[in-house]
Amino acid sequence: MNLPSLPVDVLLAIFIHLEVIDLLTIRKTCKDLEPVTRDRSVWHKALSIRFLQAGIPIPGINRWHALDSELSAEQLEQLTIRAYRLWTNWTSPQPQHFTQLDIRPTSRAWAANARTRNLAVFFLPGCNGRYLLTLSLLDSSERDDRRYSFECWDLHTADADRLTMKPVAELLVAGLLGYSPNSAPESPHVLAVTRRHGADQMITTTYTIDFDTPGQDPWFRRTNQFDGFRTTLGLEGSHLIATEPDHEVRVVNVDSGQLLCSLKVTVMHNDPTLRFPEHQCLDYEIFDDFVITFCKQWIFLYRLPSSLDDSQDDSEDTPPSHPPRLDPIAKYKWRWRIDTITVNPRRAISSKLPAPNGGGRKPPTIDILIRFDTWYPWPVNILHHFVLPPNPAFLRELFSATDSSTFPYLAASADAPYMAHSIPSPLRLFTPSDLVLGPYGTALWLDASTDPTTPSQAGDHGQRIACKVIARGGVGGSPRSTRDRARTEDDVVSPGEEIDPALFNAMSLDGSNSAATTADASVAVMHVQGEREPWSRVAVNEEEGQVAVGHVDGRVTVYTYAPPV
């Protein structure tokens, strides 16, 4: 009995185990099997099993607002093939971009002689890679103070006329101290900006951008303004996280402008006036009513009291109560101080279409990308990927501040961060560097490695944009298996999360490309400049396969690695 003679239900049961490239090959080689390869159930299973459940980004899936039952077989096939082509390109040794867009900051007459430099670039969340937010420094010798320009760009209108591309919204700021875009796409507060106001006062202003009102051009519209703090760490929903030189982290409700609480650090030598650099907060994560702060040499876990939520309903006539100062309920100390850190919770996996923005109430695994500090003027030439595992036994209703076994993280000494990867990444003095970590596990960074034969040594000139998929949700050992490993020192290499080799086959759909990577794939090099150091900042949007690169002269280049629709 040959394959075409099998019953259709048997063929369908076989085809759900095949890779995307195998389904397309069968379609080309057998006319009798071609109708079966177009069956909706085949592509529904392929998209669900190979991509959604494997934690692989699917470009364009957020544009479908209908349920998966309303997607046709052709639409499911298009989504699956495009996701396959993006992933094989994304994980290849040298990913190739399909489009390149160069954006120049807006020229201004009063800043004709100003030096322009890109300071930040962000993809606005929840916008399917359409809107890009940039921050440029306009440093003019003709003015006493610096000016900063926030500009929002519509990347979907760039194809019409690339030469005259203009921002859809712009905001000029003087005396800038801090800023943060909102990580929650459903929040009305898109951006928080902190600036000086007078000699010793700081003001934080939140803005929104209205993209949906017909007949109205988008612009930065102020939503609130209140007393601010010197260093802005992030904006998540209605919570602004900031800090001061005393190293206490403040949680502010941006809807009301009220300070909800302060997160204290460990007092050294029983003297609250002593301030150590190791307590400086660099990043944070929020899970329900828990906050994790990542400092220069510490990780602190805090529990926010539920009464804080009631303060959001206070009227303006009611004076705010004195905000509580909270002590950490758990902590962990690194062996070395940190120079640069970025953290991201691993995405929850779902088999439903479209993929939800969040998972259940279980705490997620947190990926940490670190470059440690040294006594020299430059940090170490290695990036370290650490994993902070959650407590698999955590239940919110059983939490007790006196029982560490009920904590979502750092429940025991075995739940400390463990190292999963170390990546050579050399730096050069005065050469810009940057690193980001996406929710799908893509690490993207700038360094000074330009010679592929000596990846751990910086060249005399040049820069490199490199990336590596260091983790993927739903793959590897369970939280309990990682928890049971012996991890007593943060410099002991752990096996980490292994990635399915089959999903790293970097072959084209027609089989013409025989190149392939392995499960222990080396660093992928996206771009190299051998003679100059033009880049200053990077941003990544994994779902749409986009990388944005800020230049030292103010320009921004956006590369798209997903194939066109």
Side-chain angles (χ1 to χ4, degrees):
M1 180 180 293
N2 54 22
L3 190 63
S5 63
L6 293 176
V8 174
D9 56 341
V10 176
L11 292 174
L12 293 176
I14 295 174
F15 285 178
I16 64 174
H17 298 286
L18 299 181
E19 299 290 340
V20 174
I21 187 65
D22 297 328
L23 291 171
L24 297 175
T25 301
I26 290 176
R27 177 183 298 178
K28 293 179 180 180
T29 56
C30 184
K31 184 185 301 183
D32 295 334
L33 294 178
E34 192 226 357
V36 185
T37 64
R38 298 187 184 276
D39 189 89
R40 186 183 183 279
S41 64
V42 171
W43 294 106
H44 183 278
K45 287 291 186 181
L47 187 63
S48 177
I49 296 175
R50 302 297 178 190
F51 296 95
L52 279 178
Q53 296 181 27
I56 296 177
I58 303 172
I61 192 171
N62 289 331
R63 298 188 182 96
W64 299 102
H65 299 288
L67 298 176
D68 60 327
S69 59
E70 299 178 12
L71 295 177
S72 66
E74 182 180 1
Q75 291 170 336
L76 289 170
E77 180 179 340
Q78 290 176 353
L79 282 173
T80 306
I81 293 177
R82 195 158 180 255
Y84 175 84
R85 294 183 62 189
L86 167 62
W87 189 246
T88 53
N89 186 32
W90 194 257
T91 56
S92 64
Q94 291 184 326
Q96 302 299 313
H97 61 273
F98 288 89
T99 62
Q100 174 180 335
L101 174 64
D102 293 318
I103 300 174
R104 295 185 177 275
T106 303
S107 300
R108 293 173 175 84
W110 59 265
N113 299 323
R115 297 185 301 272
T116 305
R117 182 184 181 90
N118 178 264
L119 298 183
V121 56
F122 306 96
F123 290 98
L124 291 185
C127 297
N128 304 318
R130 177 172 181 175
Y131 295 107
L132 185 75
L133 184 65
T134 63
L135 171 61
S136 302
L137 166 65
L138 307 174
D139 187 8
S140 176
S141 59
E142 299 177 0
R143 289 182 171 248
D144 295 333
D145 52 352
R146 295 177 172 181
R147 294 292 188 269
Y148 301 84
S149 173
F150 291 93
E151 295 179 302
C152 182
W153 307 84
D154 187 350
L155 303 182
H156 286 188
T157 63
D159 294 335
D161 192 351
R162 293 172 180 261
L163 298 179
T164 60
M165 185 176 181
K166 296 181 180 180
V168 297
E170 57 182 329
L171 174 69
L172 288 177
V173 179
L176 180 68
L177 290 176
Y179 58 90
S180 177
N182 204 323
S183 60
E186 67 278 1
S187 174
H189 310 284
V190 174
L191 177 69
V193 176
T194 302
R195 56 184 176 85
R196 291 187 183 91
H197 184 72
D200 54 359
Q201 187 179 5
M202 288 160 285
I203 295 294
T204 296
T205 308
T206 57
Y207 298 89
T208 188
I209 306 177
D210 186 2
F211 298 109
D212 302 323
T213 302
Q216 178 177 321
D217 294 332
W219 57 290
F220 285 98
R221 179 167 50 86
R222 190 175 76 179
T223 55
N224 201 2
Q225 185 169 290
F226 46 87
D227 291 338
F229 298 94
R230 183 172 299 274
T231 303
T232 301
L233 296 174
L235 177 61
E236 187 164 340
S238 61
H239 290 153
L240 176 71
I241 312 300
T243 187
E244 284 279 323
D246 60 6
H247 301 323
E248 287 195 17
V249 175
R250 274 75 171 181
V251 182
V252 181
N253 180 358
V254 296
D255 293 326
S256 63
Q258 294 183 9
L259 174 63
L260 299 180
C261 64
S262 296
L263 309 180
K264 298 166 57 179
V265 296
T266 303
V267 176
M268 306 295 290
H269 306 298
N270 202 27
D271 186 351
T273 64
L274 293 178
R275 302 170 182 174
F276 291 89
E278 64 191 55
H279 291 151
Q280 177 187 353
C281 185
L282 303 176
D283 210 339
Y284 72 96
E285 276 300 328
I286 297 178
F287 167 71
D288 287 350
D289 49 359
F290 294 89
V291 178
I292 310 171
T293 60
F294 298 86
C295 305
K296 275 276 189 179
Q297 204 171 349
W298 288 88
I299 299 177
F300 294 113
L301 174 66
Y302 301 86
R303 166 73 187 280
L304 303 180
S306 57
S307 59
L308 291 181
D309 297 332
D310 301 334
S311 65
Q312 300 181 13
D313 300 327
D314 291 342
S315 64
E316 295 182 358
D317 299 331
T318 303
S321 59
H322 188 70
R325 298 175 66 228
L326 307 178
D327 290 303
I329 60 174
K331 57 187 177 182
Y332 171 79
K333 186 176 183 179
W334 301 95
R335 296 187 65 189
W336 300 283
R337 289 185 183 178
I338 295 170
D339 176 82
T340 310
I341 183 173
T342 178
V343 302
N344 222 321
R346 203 169 295 181
R347 278 185 95 257
I349 302 303
S350 173
S351 59
K352 297 181 180 180
L353 298 174
N357 292 330
R361 304 318 304 165
K362 287 292 185 180
T365 299
I366 297 178
D367 291 302
I368 311 170
L369 191 62
I370 289 177
R371 192 184 291 274
F372 284 108
D373 203 356
T374 67
W375 293 108
Y376 299 101
W378 55 87
V380 298
N381 291 334
I382 301 176
L383 292 175
H384 293 87
H385 169 216
F386 284 85
V387 176
L388 180 61
N391 178 9
F394 171 77
L395 291 175
R396 192 174 185 276
E397 57 271 19
L398 299 180
F399 171 80
S400 171
T402 60
D403 185 1
S404 63
S405 65
T406 64
F407 295 174
Y409 298 95
L410 304 176
S413 59
D415 289 316
Y418 65 91
M419 191 169 75
H421 299 93
S422 60
I423 307 169
S425 176
L427 297 180
R428 187 189 309 110
L429 194 61
F430 305 127
T431 298
S433 64
D434 194 19
L435 60 91
V436 294
L437 180 60
Y440 288 88
T442 299
L444 183 74
W445 66 92
L446 294 175
D447 61 23
S449 176
T450 57
D451 187 353
T453 62
T454 57
S456 60
Q457 182 174 345
D460 295 333
H461 305 281
Q463 278 180 295
R464 174 183 71 164
I465 304 176
C467 76
K468 183 180 178 68
V469 178
I470 58 177
R472 192 170 70 242
V475 179
S478 64
R480 182 169 297 278
S481 67
T482 60
R483 186 188 182 201
D484 293 337
R485 294 173 183 157
R487 298 187 303 276
T488 57
E489 297 181 354
D490 52 46
D491 62 336
V492 176
V493 178
S494 171
E497 304 295 328
E498 297 298 331
I499 299 176
D500 184 2
L503 293 173
F504 272 88
N505 292 329
M507 61 180 68
S508 60
L509 290 181
D510 58 3
S512 60
N513 185 3
S514 60
T517 56
T518 63
D520 189 20
S522 60
V523 170
V525 179
M526 290 187 163
H527 299 278
V528 173
Q529 282 282 357
E531 299 297 329
R532 299 180 296 114
E533 294 85 36
W535 303 312
S536 58
R537 291 291 182 265
V538 290
V540 63
N541 177 19
E542 297 162 290
E543 289 187 339
E544 300 299 326
Q546 295 170 302
V547 171
V549 184
H551 294 245
V552 294
D553 62 0
R555 293 181 296 116
V556 174
T557 303
V558 181
Y559 300 98
T560 302
Y561 293 86
V565 179

